[in-house]
Amino acid sequence: MLLQTVTPASVLGTTVLFALFLSVTAHLAARNVLGDVDPRRALYVGPLPAVIGVVGGAFALPEALIVAAALLVDGVMFAWSYDQPRRIVIGMTVIHAVITTLLGIVLLGIAVLLAARPG
């Protein structure tokens, strides 16, 4: 196994890319529930759950705690950004979790396949 050096730039880059990924999937979830929405609103949703995930992983917190905190903050950010009733916000949060999980699995599978190719 290769040793990897953790630098502030690598942590910042990971957090920014994760926040962008979560913002894209938040927009997909909002479009699924609300129809045509402004994509800029999704940019408010992604950063805080991404920070929770990166910081929680850095401090080796229990995964259940990290996921619960990220989902709670995700719902709060959906409510703040889209100004919808609680029931719709819960639906958007659940759909966001599902879309993020499925798209993450697909992208991870693609990365594993590309890393395992011969040559």
Side-chain angles (χ1 to χ4, degrees):
M1 180 173 192
L2 297 174
L3 293 176
Q4 296 178 347
T5 304
V6 177
T7 63
S10 66
V11 173
L12 179 65
T14 300
T15 306
V16 168
L17 286 175
F18 191 32
L20 183 62
F21 175 71
L22 289 176
S23 294
V24 168
T25 57
H27 177 66
L28 294 173
R31 280 190 60 112
N32 192 330
V33 174
L34 301 175
D36 193 25
V37 292
D38 185 12
R40 291 177 289 186
R41 289 180 180 235
L43 292 174
Y44 299 120
V45 177
L48 285 179
V51 168
I52 289 171
V54 171
V55 170
F59 287 118
L61 296 175
E63 290 83 10
L65 179 65
I66 296 171
V67 170
L71 284 173
L72 180 67
V73 170
D74 197 43
V76 168
M77 294 310 295
F78 266 120
W80 178 73
S81 181
Y82 290 97
D83 194 32
Q84 295 294 319
R86 183 176 300 188
R87 192 170 171 177
I88 293 177
V89 168
I90 291 170
M92 284 194 297
T93 305
V94 169
I95 291 172
H96 184 217
V98 170
I99 289 172
T100 301
T101 302
L102 292 176
L103 191 56
I105 290 170
V106 168
L107 292 176
L108 181 66
I110 290 171
V112 167
L113 286 174
L114 288 176
R117 68 180 178 197

